[in-house]
Amino acid sequence: MERKTAAHYARYPQDVARARRIAEHLLSHEVTLPNGYRLGVEAFQSLGILLGGSEGSHRLHFLLEDAFVPTPAGPALSDAFQEEVQGLLSYASHPLYALVHESIYGQDERPTAWSAERVRAEFPQFDAAKALAGDGPLPLTGETVHPWTFDRDPALRPLRETAELLAARTDWTPLYDPARLAVNEVPVAAAVYHDDLYVDTAHSLQTARAVRGLRTWVTDEFEHDGVRAGGPRVLDRLLALTRDEV
């Protein structure tokens, strides 16, 4: 996230001041979006999820560009900004995505215990208040689910108790059988996006090496949305790999 955020601010340096201004506004104002979503600084930071797509940096830039409108009471976040933000942050159309986002990786009788929340606490540079106390850019985050996600999003509030139960669950079974994968005989290929925001490249390659016969295509031509942005090229390359044509 640090690398992607730095690249975005390098592309659009004017967004440094814009993001800071929005964050400062959220620290001093209670903002509730039209759908009832309570927009806080952490939620605003999580719009960095856009940076994992091929057009995400441009989309984030245009979102920040006209965030404020003048009102008799002073600058306020515009209706257009609020409408787009609630569409990006709300899980109303896919609540299970938030609910099982971490639990699908649960195994070895260990609780997930709000993993993203715990790991974020290890990186104080992502604390918005500390960043705003200085003159540096606002750090962004992305594709993580936190306890506050279930408090701020009205679509998720009824699922908060369920989310806590899943985070505390310890009766997970192993996800994979490494020994079976090591003797795989099925032709298989995988695209590894070299600068993928959501899937760590080193982890992907480590996994690939554990599967016998798996061939990888490592590329920085696409972001995580390679199939969406360039489906024919990606799929043709992977099929060619499985057929030993490249």
Side-chain angles (χ1 to χ4, degrees):
M1 277 310 313
E2 284 183 310
R3 188 170 64 251
K4 290 287 189 180
T5 301
H8 173 77
Y9 286 142
R11 172 180 286 159
Y12 293 113
Q14 60 270 53
D15 284 357
V16 173
R18 290 168 178 168
R20 284 180 58 94
R21 185 185 179 197
I22 295 169
E24 289 167 349
H25 180 84
L26 293 173
L27 284 175
S28 57
H29 297 77
E30 289 286 339
V31 176
T32 301
L33 302 178
N35 66 347
Y37 191 109
R38 296 197 299 270
L39 183 62
V41 178
E42 295 88 352
F44 171 64
Q45 287 176 279
S46 72
L47 290 172
I49 190 174
L50 289 171
L51 300 179
S54 56
E55 298 180 353
S57 181
H58 309 303
R59 187 176 179 186
L60 178 62
H61 168 67
F62 293 124
L63 175 65
L64 302 180
E65 190 173 34
D66 296 308
F68 287 97
V69 292
T71 75
L77 295 172
S78 70
D79 291 344
F81 175 86
Q82 293 190 48
E83 284 288 342
E84 185 166 358
V85 168
Q86 75 177 15
L88 291 168
L89 295 181
S90 174
Y91 287 94
S93 65
H94 50 297
L96 288 181
Y97 180 96
L99 192 63
V100 302
H101 189 263
E102 293 188 347
S103 64
I104 58 172
Y105 300 105
Q107 63 177 339
D108 298 333
E109 299 182 350
R110 291 180 297 175
T112 55
W114 297 108
S115 177
E117 183 76 2
R118 289 185 289 106
V119 171
R120 176 172 172 154
E122 299 173 8
F123 296 87
Q125 64 268 37
F126 284 94
D127 186 292
K130 291 181 179 178
L132 295 175
D135 56 2
L138 178 77
L140 301 178
T141 63
E143 215 209 6
T144 51
V145 175
H146 304 262
W148 53 260
T149 308
F150 288 82
D151 296 326
R152 294 189 175 277
D153 190 342
L156 295 181
R157 288 171 197 154
L159 298 174
R160 176 61 192 266
E161 182 179 358
T162 304
E164 290 288 357
L165 290 172
L166 283 173
R169 185 172 174 171
T170 57
D171 59 343
W172 305 111
T173 56
L175 285 173
Y176 307 105
D177 183 346
R180 185 68 191 88
L181 293 173
V183 295
N184 168 64
E185 297 180 357
V186 178
V188 58
V192 178
Y193 304 119
H194 185 264
D195 198 27
D196 196 320
L197 174 64
Y198 313 125
V199 183
D200 182 77
T201 304
H203 291 172
S204 294
L205 294 174
Q206 181 181 0
T207 300
R209 286 191 291 269
V211 182
R212 181 176 179 269
L214 188 151
R215 299 188 64 184
T216 57
W217 174 39
V218 182
T219 176
D220 60 3
E221 184 176 349
F222 300 100
E223 294 285 350
H224 187 81
D225 59 349
V227 172
R228 185 183 303 117
R233 172 160 165 68
V234 172
L235 291 176
D236 285 350
R237 179 61 181 263
L238 293 179
L239 289 172
L241 283 172
T242 64
R243 297 166 182 159
D244 202 24
E245 297 174 352
V246 292

